[in-house]
Amino acid sequence: MSAHPHITFDEQRQELILAGTWLPRDSAATFTARNIMNSAASSVRGMLYINCKRLLRINSPAFSALLDMLCWIEENRSDLHVKIIVSSAIPWAEKRFRVVIQMLGKNFSVEQYDKQFYPGQAAVEDASFIPVLQTQAKIIWEQERHILPRHGLTPQMKVADICCGIGSFAMQVARHFAPKTVVGVDHAQPALAYARHLAHEFCLSSLEFIYGDATNLLLADNRFDFVACRLALQIFDKPENILRELVRICRPGGRVYLINETYSRCFGYPSAEAIAWTYQEASGLYGALSMDLEFGPKMRCYMTEAGLKNIQVEPLMLTSCNTNGADFADVIRSWEAYAINQLAKNAGKDEAYCQRLREGFAAHVRSVTHEKGFGGWPIWAASGCKPG
Ligand SMILES: C[S@@+](CC[C@H](N)C(=O)[O-])C[C@H]1O[C@@H](n2cnc3c(N)ncnc32)[C@H](O)[C@@H]1O
């Protein structure tokens, strides 16, 4: 690999990686970059990838240098295909590169990598997922607020909430932990719009909600004291890619904090068997979208492999004894609606199957609302320190 502040050539992947804010004074200042690009363009065979996932800004001299390389390829390398990869988080890039490739031949293309980048994306980014997040947020926070100091959250911290959904956690941290700043990032526009609306309505000014991909964050290295990512590694098919970014943006000595579930182990009494069947099936329906709702106990392994130290894992068990029964029942009903209307229907399950699912959810509702019943939802909280 050869390097430049904004351009790297990865020979193995045949990929030119352009990143950051590349603003050369003039054409002469693009000399080194041109050398790297030209040597890539003349050496590779088959396909050259131009990765602009993190290219925040570019000025005219820089753009001309890039254009010169593309024109050179058009004239001299008719055997070569070029794919420019852009992100929806940087809207100017797609527009600008599409105009450019219209002038070039059929060997050039632009791809927005995060249009369909994980299997369950459409389901999770749909506005119909918002009620699920709303109902969950309330009951989790009541337990979670007590464990956060043990995982390193203290006042005056710079906090990131990656995959923040509708921003409930970020807002509660802003209310109760006096952070310096809280930045929430998510890839679901409806959820972010909701988060921004609430933060504005509740005058929570230390909050910022940003659209982006957690596997390619446009946030600087070592920027945050506390980096949270809740119930999200379990829905993304490559959790290690998100975790790598969480560690990157955490400062040395800061902590990365995760929560994830073992959904199939939701339990209740009476009707324990009906409940167990329903949650095992529901977990499988999520699994069909490559979501792993059993990710909780795997966190320690992933965090260790990501280089985190002093890892702490503890149960965040929500039961009908520590959680308001009516609120818990609302959560279960939101799961039921989502599992049946979105997941089972899309998986082509018949009415008898859906009815059996409903019976298990109804039994779970009874177990958490009846005075003699007992029901629960096992979640796991984990945090690890970034070595200094
Ligand atoms: C189950 S929700 C959890 C939301 C929130 N953390 C909470 O606890 O309520 C998972 C969230 O992760 C987001 N997400 C998944 N993959 C993402 C990615 N690669 N980049 C950014 N957000 C992502 C989804 O859009 C969704 O809002």
Side-chain angles (χ1 to χ4, degrees):
M1 285 233 242
S2 45
H4 172 273
H6 304 290
I7 301 189
T8 312
F9 177 51
D10 181 337
E11 192 178 14
Q12 226 173 23
R13 300 161 70 99
Q14 303 205 160
E15 184 176 50
L16 268 171
I17 303 161
L18 278 67
T21 300
W22 182 24
L23 306 173
R25 249 183 355 269
D26 50 26
S27 174
T30 64
F31 180 76
T32 313
R34 282 172 186 271
N35 275 347
I36 295 171
M37 292 195 287
N38 291 344
S39 105
S42 48
S43 65
V44 298
R45 289 187 193 180
M47 176 71 84
L48 175 66
Y49 291 97
I50 304 183
N51 174 342
C52 301
K53 290 179 188 177
R54 293 185 206 245
L55 183 58
L56 288 172
R57 267 178 77 205
I58 186 169
N59 65 3
S60 294
F63 200 72
S64 296
L66 189 56
L67 201 55
D68 285 349
M69 175 195 66
L70 295 173
C71 291
W72 182 88
I73 294 173
E74 164 83 342
E75 277 166 29
N76 301 287
R77 294 288 314 268
S78 57
D79 58 312
L80 195 61
H81 289 255
V82 176
K83 190 174 276 187
I84 303 171
I85 301 170
V86 294
S87 160
S88 66
I90 307 174
W92 68 262
E94 184 176 23
K95 284 189 202 134
R96 201 151 177 202
F97 286 120
R98 284 219 184 277
V99 171
V100 166
I101 63 153
Q102 272 168 14
M103 303 181 318
L104 301 165
K106 62 179 174 19
N107 286 0
F108 296 77
S109 61
V110 175
E111 181 187 289
Q112 198 184 78
Y113 85 96
D114 55 344
K115 223 174 212 157
Q116 288 176 327
F117 68 133
Y118 69 98
Q121 186 182 356
V124 171
E125 293 187 5
D126 193 278
S128 62
F129 199 57
I130 292 178
V132 178
L133 298 182
Q134 276 170 327
T135 55
Q136 287 184 171
K138 187 173 171 193
I139 66 170
I140 299 176
W141 178 254
E142 285 311 314
Q143 302 308 314
E144 194 177 17
R145 61 190 297 174
H146 303 297
I147 67 164
L148 286 168
R150 282 205 289 282
H151 289 274
L153 184 60
T154 55
Q156 289 304 306
M157 283 189 153
K158 291 183 192 158
V159 177
D161 182 15
I162 306 304
C163 303
C164 63
I166 56 171
S168 313
F169 177 79
M171 287 184 229
Q172 292 291 36
V173 168
R175 284 190 187 102
H176 298 279
F177 284 87
K180 212 175 249 169
T181 52
V182 188
V183 175
V185 178
D186 202 281
H187 199 271
Q189 291 284 20
L192 282 175
Y194 187 87
R196 288 184 191 123
H197 169 74
L198 280 193
H200 177 70
E201 202 166 68
F202 300 155
C203 301
L204 294 167
S205 54
S206 60
L207 288 173
E208 189 185 359
F209 291 107
I210 302 174
Y211 174 75
D213 167 21
T215 65
N216 279 286
L217 291 168
L218 304 175
L219 297 169
D221 297 358
N222 307 323
R223 178 171 159 188
F224 296 96
D225 304 299
F226 189 85
V227 179
C229 183
R230 303 165 62 261
L231 303 176
L233 292 191
Q234 60 183 40
I235 65 156
F236 194 79
D237 62 333
K238 294 184 199 74
E240 63 280 10
N241 290 358
I242 294 185
L243 197 47
R244 193 185 316 123
E245 283 290 90
L246 304 181
V247 175
R248 181 182 67 76
I249 64 168
C250 186
R251 70 161 169 81
R255 287 189 83 82
V256 172
Y257 167 80
L258 311 173
I259 68 170
N260 289 288
E261 318 164 53
T262 39
Y263 192 64
S264 72
R265 303 289 167 172
C266 283
F267 61 87
Y269 178 86
S271 308
E273 279 175 20
I275 295 170
W277 183 86
T278 285
Y279 282 97
Q280 265 158 30
E281 287 300 313
S283 182
L285 292 173
Y286 283 102
L289 293 175
S290 295
M291 299 189 202
D292 180 6
L293 267 56
E294 311 306 305
F295 192 77
K298 301 174 191 171
M299 287 188 288
R300 189 159 184 246
C301 173
Y302 276 81
M303 292 172 100
T304 307
E305 284 174 2
L308 292 168
K309 301 285 180 214
N310 183 18
I311 295 166
Q312 324 241 10
V313 186
E314 65 177 301
L316 184 62
M317 177 68 78
L318 271 58
T319 73
S320 44
C321 285
N322 64 16
T323 299
N324 177 285
D327 292 341
F328 207 152
D330 283 344
V331 169
I332 297 168
R333 289 192 195 101
S334 77
W335 290 343
E336 175 183 341
Y338 194 75
I340 289 169
N341 302 334
Q342 305 286 328
L343 303 175
K345 294 260 157 73
N346 289 345
K349 300 290 185 186
D350 62 15
E351 182 46 32
Y353 178 92
C354 291
Q355 184 51 29
R356 203 172 160 193
L357 272 186
R358 273 189 209 102
E359 283 164 15
F361 284 119
H364 201 203
V365 166
R366 279 196 302 279
S367 77
V368 299
T369 49
H370 195 281
E371 59 184 11
K372 290 196 219 161
F374 183 66
W377 173 23
I379 307 176
W380 305 89
S383 67
C385 178
K386 176 168 172 177

